[in-house]
Amino acid sequence: MAANMYRVGDYVYFENSSSNPYLVRRIEELNKTANGNVEAKVVCLFRRRDISSSLNSLADSNAREFEEESKQPGVSEQQRHQLKHRELFLSRQFESLPATHIRGKCSVTLLNETDILSQYLEKEDCFFYSLVFDPVQKTLLADQGEIRVGCKYQAEIPDRLAEGESDNRNQQKMEMKVWDPDNPLTDRQIDQFLVVARAVGTFARALDCSSSIRQPSLHMSAAAASRDITLFHAMDTLQRNGYDLAKAMSTLVPQGGPVLCRDEMEEWSASEAMLFEEALEKYGKDFNDIRQDFLPWKSLASIVQFYYMWKTTDRYIQQKRLKAAEADSKLKQVYIPTYTKPNPNQIISVGSKPGMNGAGFQKGLTCESCHTTQSAQWYAWGPPNMQCRLCASCWIYWKKYGGLKTPTQLEGAARGTTEPHSRGHLSRPEAQSLSPYTTSANRAKLLAKNRQTFLLQTTKLTRLARRMCRDLLQPRRAARRPYAPINANAIKAECSIRLPKAAKTPLKIHPLVRLPLATIVKDLVAQAPLKPKTPRGTKTPINRNQLTQNRGLGGIMVKRAYETMSGAGVPFSANGRPLASGIRSSSQPAAKRQKLNPADAPNPVVFVATKDTRALRKALTHLEMRRAARRPNLPLKVKPPLIAVRPPVPLSAPSHPASTNEPIVLED
């Protein structure tokens, strides 16, 4: 009964999703809605997973400073990982949640320098906080409620001076004496002087126009003159005049008129007092936020003085009574029964219908946190296509603390060692810039590219699982569908089960000798088709009529037919290049060639397909084309197409009355 009874001020777990961790909240109010349900007004506390990575780095530096100052005992990496799950960040954000979503109690305390961090791991449902998170400004600040314990926060008391020893300290930096209890005046004389000071203060308020408006009656003026500010001024006057009543009387009423002393209650207007009460209702006694958001024109000392004077007024007493009556009408506690409904992420045991509540998971999967293979109950965790799961104890840990017991690679675990002289740490443009075939101009452009590269580092177990679990992996199908995810953990778990049952004879693995990158690039450069250069001085006869007709098509990129690109009727030479043509066809427009930008190319070596290359592609069968695409590193043996050599037929220019039949010779 007591465990299920929740009161105002308790720290509790709230569940907003069946797969996400619990929310840690502090109950501020319990309200009953119109339909009879109970809502809880709670204060939000955030985990490390709820804040950004930059704020996590700031929290890590704060934790290191705390460990150095408090001299914490050393902890292991796993304990340090679990301590991050116990750290929370307080906020001033409020929200209302249904009380039926409460899933249990927890304990949250302010971290003190005398605390030992490892003790929080020994207790269940125990958290700590030391920083305050602002969800709007996205900042982390130290909590103002910090308990300052230690020698650096204590005052150093000097030794007492001996008799006859002179005080060599700077008296200007010392305190100033404002009252002498061993004065020659009696208590009756001091009281009479204080009465005179109050009367002078009442008379001064009657002469002041602003005071007469604020205190229109004599009783209000007399009450204002009886405040502490008037008494402090009277006693200070006695101290400055050497407790001489005659001199003190003359000081109270100088030549210009009586002295008027006001405190913060008189200086503040009624509207400012209303703003202060509204701010006090919202922020409490956080005077910095009150000054920043409500009263920026007031000083912090003025706000603090007004608060303590405001507590002596009837207004404070009335508000205190109203709050007490409102608190009596609200709920003090609420009973929430234990939540017993099954979780949708629960995996049904073997024999259930596949596809329901996580059923249909592959056998041999281990827990993602503790890597155990035996558990009374399993729960689906993570993306559904990954088919990851947690055991019962790790699932409870995930729901309460928002993390796994052991660190993973995504959470900063140490990765496996890489091979020496590896370029895995370089980006793709940086690795390409190291190529000896990249010019300095292209190297600068490649380094300016901001593309990110996916790096796959395989282990021995992964390479072994590819051969042992070929039926589950289906490498040919996976190669055709590289976008489909592969559950590597399931395959490794199945491999660990099959490995002891496998034959003791080692598998025959044929090593594949690969050529170095420099040799492959040289071969590709040597085999790349070059743009044929027209020898200087050759004469190309052009018909004037053709030049006039095709003038408007010179700058338009049009789709050209195969016959146009390959040049029908033109024989091929031994090296795959066409022989020099005699006359340009009238159906072939002079299209502008598109220039490639080396910075946009994926590799530093650019291969431009020519019409001969396209013609050779037509000669390949579908099977040869697929085989070449799968193994681009192997040379391709293709026979050039046999085309009958025909003698060039001269084209006769059409007769036109305004043209001549004589060809115009242009030298290139």
Side-chain angles (χ1 to χ4, degrees):
M1 179 66 71
N4 295 337
M5 192 68 69
Y6 301 95
R7 299 176 177 83
V8 175
D10 290 346
Y11 291 91
V12 295
Y13 294 118
F14 273 90
E15 185 176 23
N16 64 340
S17 175
S18 59
S19 58
N20 292 338
Y22 293 142
L23 305 176
V24 181
R25 299 291 186 262
R26 185 182 68 196
I27 301 177
E28 289 293 317
E29 295 179 3
L30 292 172
N31 303 320
K32 197 169 185 179
T33 59
N35 54 4
N37 298 329
V38 178
E39 284 189 353
K41 182 181 178 182
V42 296
V43 178
C44 300
L45 289 95
F46 295 89
R47 304 178 189 265
R48 277 181 172 262
R49 65 193 306 270
D50 301 327
I51 63 178
S52 61
S53 58
S54 59
L55 295 182
N56 270 301
S57 303
L58 183 60
D60 291 337
S61 61
N62 180 75
R64 287 192 295 267
E65 293 178 0
F66 174 80
E67 292 179 1
E68 294 176 358
E69 292 179 359
S70 59
K71 299 180 181 180
Q72 294 286 331
V75 294
S76 62
E77 290 296 329
Q78 184 174 358
Q79 289 179 336
R80 190 180 302 276
H81 169 74
Q82 294 180 1
L83 278 174
K84 294 182 179 180
H85 301 156
R86 302 298 184 99
E87 184 178 9
L88 300 177
F89 302 100
L90 185 65
S91 72
R92 295 184 179 89
Q93 180 178 344
F94 293 88
E95 62 181 3
S96 296
L97 297 174
T100 53
H101 290 185
I102 296 178
R103 297 294 181 263
K105 293 182 181 180
C106 60
S107 174
V108 182
T109 57
L110 176 64
L111 185 62
N112 193 7
E113 293 183 357
T114 58
D115 295 341
I116 300 177
L117 293 175
S118 58
Q119 292 180 354
Y120 288 94
L121 299 177
E122 301 173 358
K123 303 175 184 178
E124 289 290 334
D125 306 322
C126 188
F127 300 88
F128 65 89
Y129 77 93
S130 60
L131 300 176
V132 178
F133 173 62
D134 189 352
V136 179
Q137 302 293 335
K138 305 296 182 182
T139 56
L140 275 180
L141 300 174
D143 186 31
Q144 296 181 356
E146 179 184 2
I147 302 176
R148 297 184 175 182
V149 179
C151 58
K152 62 180 180 180
Y153 299 114
Q154 306 300 323
E156 297 181 0
I157 303 176
D159 297 335
R160 185 176 180 181
L161 298 176
E163 295 183 2
E165 185 179 358
S166 60
D167 191 0
N168 298 327
R169 295 176 296 178
N170 188 2
Q171 299 298 325
Q172 295 181 355
K173 296 182 179 180
M174 308 303 294
E175 296 85 356
M176 184 176 62
K177 189 176 183 180
V178 295
W179 182 257
D180 187 7
D182 299 331
N183 57 78
L185 300 178
T186 61
D187 295 341
R188 180 180 176 83
Q189 291 175 332
I190 295 175
D191 293 339
Q192 290 176 352
F193 183 78
L194 295 179
V195 171
V196 173
R198 294 191 189 98
V200 172
T202 305
F203 178 66
R205 283 168 175 79
L207 297 178
D208 186 52
C209 297
S210 60
S211 299
S212 61
I213 296 174
R214 295 180 181 180
Q215 294 95 15
S217 63
L218 179 61
H219 296 285
M220 296 178 65
S221 300
S226 301
R227 293 186 175 276
D228 293 339
I229 188 68
T230 305
L231 302 182
F232 291 159
H233 174 67
M235 299 175 72
D236 183 61
T237 303
L238 286 175
Q239 171 69 20
R240 286 188 284 104
N241 290 278
Y243 299 95
D244 189 349
L245 292 178
K247 292 182 180 179
M249 289 287 185
S250 60
T251 306
L252 285 178
V253 186
Q255 186 177 1
V259 177
L260 177 60
C261 300
R262 291 178 178 175
D263 55 6
E264 296 297 333
M265 289 296 295
E266 293 185 77
E267 293 290 344
W268 286 44
S269 62
S271 59
E272 292 175 341
M274 294 295 292
L275 283 176
F276 175 79
E277 292 178 0
E278 182 182 353
L280 195 67
E281 182 72 20
K282 182 177 181 180
Y283 293 120
K285 293 191 295 183
D286 195 341
F287 300 115
N288 288 316
D289 290 347
I290 291 175
R291 178 177 179 270
Q292 182 177 359
D293 296 344
F294 285 87
L295 299 167
W297 59 89
K298 294 289 184 181
S299 64
L300 189 61
S302 174
I303 295 175
V304 173
Q305 291 179 10
F306 180 81
Y307 169 73
Y308 285 103
M309 294 178 182
W310 174 78
K311 290 184 68 174
T312 61
T313 60
D314 295 338
R315 180 72 176 174
Y316 170 76
I317 298 174
Q318 292 176 3
Q319 288 193 0
K320 193 173 182 180
R321 289 175 181 174
L322 290 176
K323 287 184 178 180
E326 185 179 357
D328 292 339
S329 62
K330 292 183 179 180
L331 296 176
K332 299 294 188 302
Q333 58 186 7
V334 63
Y335 176 81
I336 305 297
T338 305
Y339 188 77
T340 56
K341 293 183 180 180
N343 194 294
N345 295 275
Q346 181 177 345
I347 301 175
I348 299 180
S349 59
V350 181
S352 61
K353 296 181 180 180
M356 295 179 59
N357 296 337
F361 273 56
Q362 299 180 5
K363 297 181 181 180
L365 294 179
T366 60
C367 177
E368 294 293 329
S369 179
C370 61
H371 307 290
T372 183
T373 57
Q374 297 180 358
S375 178
Q377 187 60 53
W378 295 93
Y379 295 87
W381 179 78
N385 56 352
M386 298 301 295
Q387 293 191 355
C388 301
R389 64 179 184 177
L390 296 177
C391 62
S393 61
C394 293
W395 176 258
I396 296 175
Y397 186 91
W398 159 256
K399 294 290 288 184
K400 288 185 176 181
Y401 305 114
L404 302 182
K405 293 182 180 179
T406 56
T408 60
Q409 288 188 358
L410 296 179
E411 295 176 345
R415 297 184 177 180
T417 57
T418 58
E419 298 179 0
H421 308 289
S422 174
R423 294 187 180 182
H425 64 284
L426 299 178
S427 63
R428 186 175 183 177
E430 291 174 350
Q432 292 176 357
S433 65
L434 299 179
S435 175
Y437 301 98
T438 307
T439 60
S440 59
N442 293 339
R443 183 179 295 112
K445 294 180 180 179
L446 289 171
L447 290 177
K449 298 168 74 174
N450 297 325
R451 297 179 182 177
Q452 295 182 355
T453 306
F454 292 95
L455 179 63
L456 175 63
Q457 295 181 348
T458 58
T459 61
K460 294 182 178 179
L461 181 60
T462 305
R463 293 193 291 269
L464 190 61
R466 291 174 181 172
R467 299 180 179 272
M468 296 292 298
C469 305
R470 187 177 293 271
D471 55 337
L472 297 178
L473 180 59
Q474 300 179 359
R476 293 175 62 88
R477 182 182 180 185
R480 293 171 186 157
R481 302 173 62 192
Y483 53 87
I486 299 175
N487 192 353
N489 294 331
I491 296 176
K492 290 181 181 179
E494 188 67 23
C495 178
S496 60
I497 296 176
R498 297 183 182 182
L499 194 59
K501 300 179 183 179
K504 300 301 181 181
T505 58
L507 298 176
K508 295 182 180 180
I509 302 176
H510 302 284
L512 181 60
V513 180
R514 298 183 182 273
L515 297 177
L517 181 61
T519 305
I520 296 175
V521 172
K522 287 181 179 179
D523 295 341
L524 293 176
V525 172
Q527 297 176 7
L530 300 177
K531 180 181 178 181
K533 296 183 178 179
T534 306
R536 190 171 184 85
T538 58
K539 301 179 180 180
T540 306
I542 301 177
N543 195 312
R544 181 182 298 176
N545 295 331
Q546 298 174 2
L547 182 63
T548 306
Q549 294 173 3
N550 297 334
R551 185 176 300 172
L553 302 175
I556 303 177
M557 297 294 294
V558 296
K559 186 175 181 180
R560 291 163 287 184
Y562 168 72
E563 291 80 4
T564 305
M565 293 299 300
S566 60
V570 180
F572 284 87
S573 63
N575 58 356
R577 300 175 184 174
L579 296 175
S581 59
I583 302 176
R584 181 179 298 175
S585 174
S586 61
S587 62
Q588 181 179 358
K592 185 179 179 180
R593 186 169 183 177
Q594 184 180 3
K595 295 183 179 180
L596 296 178
N597 188 5
D600 298 334
N603 294 312
V605 181
V606 181
F607 299 94
V608 181
T610 62
K611 56 183 180 180
D612 305 332
T613 309
R614 300 188 186 95
L616 292 177
R617 289 176 184 170
K618 297 290 184 179
L620 294 176
T621 63
H622 182 65
L623 181 61
E624 292 175 346
M625 184 70 73
R626 294 181 60 182
R627 189 177 300 168
R630 291 174 183 170
R631 297 184 178 181
N633 59 313
L634 298 181
L636 186 62
K637 299 179 181 179
V638 182
K639 296 181 180 180
L642 298 177
I643 303 176
V645 179
R646 299 178 181 177
V649 180
L651 299 177
S652 60
S655 61
H656 196 273
S659 64
T660 178
N661 293 332
E662 298 179 0
I664 299 176
V665 179
L666 299 179
E667 293 185 3
D668 188 4

